[in-house]
Amino acid sequence: MSEGKKMLKLIKGSEVYGPECLGKKDVLITAEKIGCVQDSIDIGKAVEIETIDAEGKFLVPGFIDSHVHILGGGGEGGYKTRTPEIMLTDITRAGVTTVIGCLGTDGVTRTMSNLIAKARGLHDEGITCYVYTGSYQVPVRTLTGSILEDLILIDKIIGVGEIALSDHRSSQPTVEEVVKIAAAARVGGILSGKAGIVNVHLGSGERKLSFLEKIASDTEIPITQFVPTHTGRSPGLFAAAMEYAKKGGLIDLTTSTPTWFSKKKEGKCSQALKVMLDNGVPVENISFSSDGQGSLPKFDEKGEYIGLDVGRVTTLYESFRDAVRNENIAIEVALKVVTSNPARNLKLDNKGGIGVGKDADMVLLDKDLEIETVIARGQIMVRDKEAVVKGTFED
């Protein structure tokens, strides 16, 4: 049996964050699960096992990226600006072990069947991958013909999205249309045991979060049925998002793009997290996602296309690292926005933590919080210094 495929692995002597600090522990992996977490674990020599010396290192849950364009994205500048499909190493070298795939602006040449096929391919390569049904457009283009049936019948579909609001590229749905989407997602989630989350793309329009606030106040649908993303794209939206989160709403910041704190200042998601925490936003209501492999188009004041960047999954890890190293946010707090919070939002009960029975998705970090080893579903995906995570968006 090859070293990377051994069914038993023992991680010895690391400082474990699950994401809460558990202290110095040994962690035993049995197949795809965490079998034991104890102060000291001793396995007899008769058992074939791989031992990983983690003395002086941090062991944290595998990162969850809840918004990735696994098929690529874009096309806002014409066919030549379509971004390519993501590669496995783009994900694993960033410490990400679970991704949620989505379609974006283009729900025509990129289809739900292709999205699910790509998700199954990534699963076969060793990581966990689910998808949202739909794209920017309303009515939602589903696989089976209905949101309800997609959620109930298709195992890989765990929510709806990304539905575009407050954006010149959206299909300009009414509040009533968004209510119907959320209602179908909620019932589909209840019947299938899934989250039924509605992932909402927010543009820089003046309506901001008003649709979601109205639905929460005027209907029985809970405010937590939605996860609005890109909530740091403008000063006004950032301020509105903080108030929305204080009311119990979930908010998601996009790590591939700058975040605005005021009309005069932009910065990284790590800085945005610090501002939100300092302003009394509960950390449990905040998550990060990368918008990886999605197109990041630039438009002028008239809405005309002027350029394009590409989102990177690596920014998710970078933002966590910067939050701890540069913003002095405690490791266990910064971890929540990329591990336990998205796991809870997406109802992925076996993800986002280190504990007996959880999926064996873990990242080993050195004392400087640089990635050394990535384990997904019990198998080593990245070892030692194979991880190459450098740079973020241009300041």
Side-chain angles (χ1 to χ4, degrees), residues 194-254:
K194 299 174 183 175
I197 280 292
V198 181
N199 180 268
V200 177
H201 162 104
L202 287 176
S204 54
E206 289 301 316
R207 286 176 290 181
K208 304 181 181 71
L209 291 141
S210 61
F211 273 32
L212 308 187
E213 292 169 329
K214 183 172 178 58
I215 293 169
S217 66
D218 293 355
T219 76
E220 296 77 22
I221 297 169
I223 196 170
T224 51
Q225 200 68 41
F226 299 95
V227 176
T229 191
H230 316 321
T231 55
R233 73 162 69 240
S234 71
L237 180 56
F238 183 79
M242 287 200 292
E243 294 306 311
Y244 180 81
K246 289 177 185 179
K247 297 174 185 176
L250 306 175
I251 56 173
D252 187 73
L253 293 167
T254 303

Side-chain angles (χ1 to χ4, degrees), residues 206-349:
E206 289 301 316
R207 286 176 290 181
K208 304 181 181 71
L209 291 141
S210 61
F211 273 32
L212 308 187
E213 292 169 329
K214 183 172 178 58
I215 293 169
S217 66
D218 293 355
T219 76
E220 296 77 22
I221 297 169
I223 196 170
T224 51
Q225 200 68 41
F226 299 95
V227 176
T229 191
H230 316 321
T231 55
R233 73 162 69 240
S234 71
L237 180 56
F238 183 79
M242 287 200 292
E243 294 306 311
Y244 180 81
K246 289 177 185 179
K247 297 174 185 176
L250 306 175
I251 56 173
D252 187 73
L253 293 167
T254 303
T255 58
S256 285
T257 56
T259 296
W260 287 89
F261 311 140
S262 69
K263 291 185 178 180
K264 295 182 179 180
K265 186 174 182 180
E266 68 173 38
K268 300 178 181 180
C269 278
S270 54
Q271 296 168 304
L273 178 60
K274 176 67 172 175
V275 171
M276 286 186 163
L277 296 176
D278 287 348
N279 279 274
V281 178
V283 67
E284 287 75 18
N285 293 19
I286 307 169
S287 62
F288 287 177
S289 65
S290 72
D291 207 9
Q293 215 62 24
S295 67
L296 308 176
K298 299 176 183 178
F299 300 95
D300 62 21
E301 64 278 0
K302 297 180 180 179
E304 297 293 330
Y305 171 86
I306 56 174
L308 182 78
D309 289 328
V310 180
R312 293 184 297 110
V313 171
T314 53
T315 60
L316 191 79
Y317 155 70
E318 292 163 359
S319 295
F320 153 73
R321 180 196 60 197
D322 291 347
V324 178
R325 293 199 329 198
N326 300 335
E327 305 304 324
N328 296 314
I329 297 173
I331 291 178
E332 56 265 41
V333 174
L335 275 173
K336 287 183 178 181
V337 303
V338 293
T339 60
S340 59
N341 289 356
R344 182 207 61 225
N345 295 348
L346 298 167
K347 209 171 181 178
L348 302 177
D349 297 337

Side-chain angles (χ1 to χ4, degrees), residues 18-54:
E20 67 285 352
C21 182
L22 301 179
K24 187 175 180 179
K25 301 286 182 183
D26 290 354
V27 177
L28 179 66
I29 297 172
T30 57
E32 294 191 4
K33 297 289 185 178
I34 296 173
C36 189
V37 180
Q38 291 184 0
D39 291 343
S40 180
I41 300 173
D42 186 20
I43 303 294
K45 294 182 179 180
V47 178
E48 184 179 23
I49 187 169
E50 177 182 2
T51 300
I52 299 172
D53 181 7

